[in-house]
Amino acid sequence: MTQELARLEDLPEDYRADLVSAGVAPLWPMMRNVLPHNAPAPVTRPHVWAYDAVRPLLMRAGELTPVEKAERRVLVLSDPGRGVGAMQATASIYVGLQLLLPGETAPAHYHTPSAARVIVEGEGAYTVVNGEKLVMEEGDLIFTPGGMWHDHGHEGQEPVVWLDALDLPVFYVLEGSYAVEGTLQAQKNRPDASQVEYLAAGLAPARTRDGDAPAPRYPLMRYPWKQVRAALDHMAIHSGREIAELDYVNPETGRSVLPTLGFTAMLLPAGEAVRPPLRSISSVFHVVEGRGATTINGVRHEWGPKDTFSAPVFAEITHEATETARLIRIHDAPLQEKLGYYEERAR
Ligand code: GTQ
């Protein structure tokens, strides 16, 4: 039953003025705004950020703004639903394209929000996270959990670009966002944990109670694309599912790496329409390889390699790859699960 509720204009003006003076507001004119019926009413609008359109602007930023004057040279992908300058792509997900030029360093800091990066182009750059040097290769996913020191450097010859994903919008809402600055970290002289302790799925380093420290909260910070790609391709061949999807998880717990944001690698076979259920999460898709189109709430969006696109909560999504496509989907299922809220609906 949908009951028409009284409007603000139905109240006498003097009473409305008294409400304002007293610092209170009537709920009922706003009831359907704060609690819309049956499903949320997202302000987020789906959008494709074509890499070809953003790349020249990023390179220009490289000429206009030295890294010392930027700290992080990033163009943020702004949700058109929130207007010009929006520092987020969806309600919970911030994404930006960051440029580092050969020889540059981005200074060390840590912050309350967590970050992850997908390497988009170039080689020779690295991130140091709590002293561990994480080499960046195209398609790699590198995590910088909240509170961990990180700085970026570049020993290569060509510009390096990566996509940052942060749970910044969640921290704004909490009024919890801040950063602490420091000096470049000393780097441990050894390959990262993806090359030493966690080389194969299902295997974790054995530990003794006395001799070894317990597993760290964030044991694995770099997920090389070479390994993810091979796993996706095998799964696509052998699983019999229309879409092969692999979640990036903490190898010690099997849970999402970050507390809020989830990351899922997907393989879309060419020529097949893939229709996931409606989900309560918002998503940002980054195309590592391949081409296709995604219809989101009835509007078709074409995409190609290195493009990034977004979908709001409960979106009706149909993917159709024209060439085998491998994507990384960034979403907020871990946060929603923690809130006891995550939902899926059949379509
Ligand atoms: O590289 O540390 O896109 O601190 C936004 C904030 C990247 C980073 C962003 C950051 C970083």
Side-chain angles (χ1 to χ4, degrees):
M1 285 285 281
T2 301
Q3 174 72 46
E4 272 298 303
L5 300 178
R7 301 163 305 165
L8 198 58
E9 302 79 68
D10 299 330
L11 296 168
E13 278 207 23
D14 61 326
Y15 176 70
R16 285 160 62 183
D18 290 347
L19 291 177
V20 172
S21 304
V24 295
L27 172 61
W28 57 97
M30 291 301 287
M31 192 68 187
R32 304 281 185 250
N33 297 60
V34 298
L35 289 169
H37 280 143
N38 306 320
V43 296
T44 304
R45 286 222 297 266
H47 192 74
V48 183
W49 292 271
Y51 189 60
D52 284 349
V54 181
R55 188 183 188 280
L57 299 171
L58 199 51
M59 295 303 152
R60 189 87 204 287
E63 294 160 15
L64 295 171
T65 310
V67 73
E68 297 75 31
K69 288 285 177 194
E71 267 179 42
R72 300 294 190 263
R73 194 190 288 111
V74 177
L75 294 178
V76 179
L77 309 189
S78 290
D79 168 24
R82 290 181 163 81
V84 174
M87 289 286 116
Q88 61 203 90
T90 76
S92 58
I93 306 170
Y94 159 108
V95 276
L97 285 164
Q98 180 163 172
L99 169 68
L100 201 62
L101 295 171
E104 288 185 333
T105 51
H109 69 186
Y110 72 79
H111 35 70
T112 49
S114 288
R117 321 178 197 284
V118 183
I119 315 315
V120 179
E121 80 166 68
E123 52 189 54
Y126 60 87
T127 293
V128 185
V129 182
N130 271 8
E132 188 167 73
K133 182 177 180 178
L134 305 164
V135 171
M136 296 174 160
E137 292 177 10
E138 267 185 39
D140 287 359
L141 184 55
I142 292 178
F143 290 96
T144 309
M148 295 193 126
W149 287 105
H150 54 285
D151 54 75
H152 313 305
H154 191 342
E155 301 164 325
Q157 306 301 320
E158 302 294 330
V160 166
V161 177
W162 63 80
L163 183 77
D164 291 313
L166 282 84
D167 54 9
L168 254 176
V170 176
F171 278 79
Y172 295 150
V173 167
L174 298 174
E175 295 190 335
S177 186
Y178 71 92
V180 176
E181 289 184 40
T183 50
L184 291 184
Q185 302 163 80
Q187 298 165 17
K188 291 178 201 155
N189 186 23
R190 46 152 266 168
D192 69 86
S194 75
Q195 310 302 321
V196 183
E197 287 95 347
Y198 299 97
L199 259 174
L203 295 179
R207 293 188 165 83
T208 57
R209 293 247 178 108
D210 303 336
D212 300 307
R217 181 153 173 228
Y218 296 105
L220 186 56
M221 238 85 77
R222 171 173 175 241
Y223 292 67
W225 179 245
K226 280 194 195 106
Q227 294 172 10
V228 175
R229 190 182 195 278
L232 263 186
D233 286 16
H234 277 275
M235 194 183 182
I237 294 166
H238 299 294
S239 76
R241 296 165 65 124
E242 63 171 2
I243 177 173
E245 286 195 319
L246 288 168
D247 287 333
Y248 290 80
V249 297
N250 177 323
E252 293 284 351
T253 65
R255 296 178 190 278
S256 70
V257 178
L258 299 179
T260 53
L261 296 183
F263 296 80
T264 304
M266 343 172 15
L267 186 146
L268 302 170
E272 276 181 49
V274 172
R275 293 187 181 77
L278 274 60
R279 295 177 166 124
S280 56
I281 54 177
S282 61
S283 312
V284 171
F285 299 83
H286 179 72
V287 184
V288 181
E289 303 165 20
R291 237 168 241 294
T294 297
T295 302
I296 306 172
N297 295 334
V299 180
R300 190 180 146 87
H301 303 269
E302 294 192 356
W303 42 258
K306 305 186 190 301
D307 292 348
T308 304
F309 60 98
S310 62
V313 300
F314 287 109
E316 198 169 282
I317 296 173
T318 304
H319 302 291
E320 287 175 278
T322 49
E323 296 166 15
T324 306
R326 298 175 185 84
L327 290 76
I328 295 177
R329 180 160 62 87
I330 304 161
H331 54 84
D332 52 6
L335 174 62
Q336 295 200 358
E337 301 271 13
K338 290 185 176 77
L339 295 174
Y341 162 57
Y342 178 73
E343 261 185 71
E344 289 183 1
R345 296 185 185 177
R347 49 197 288 190

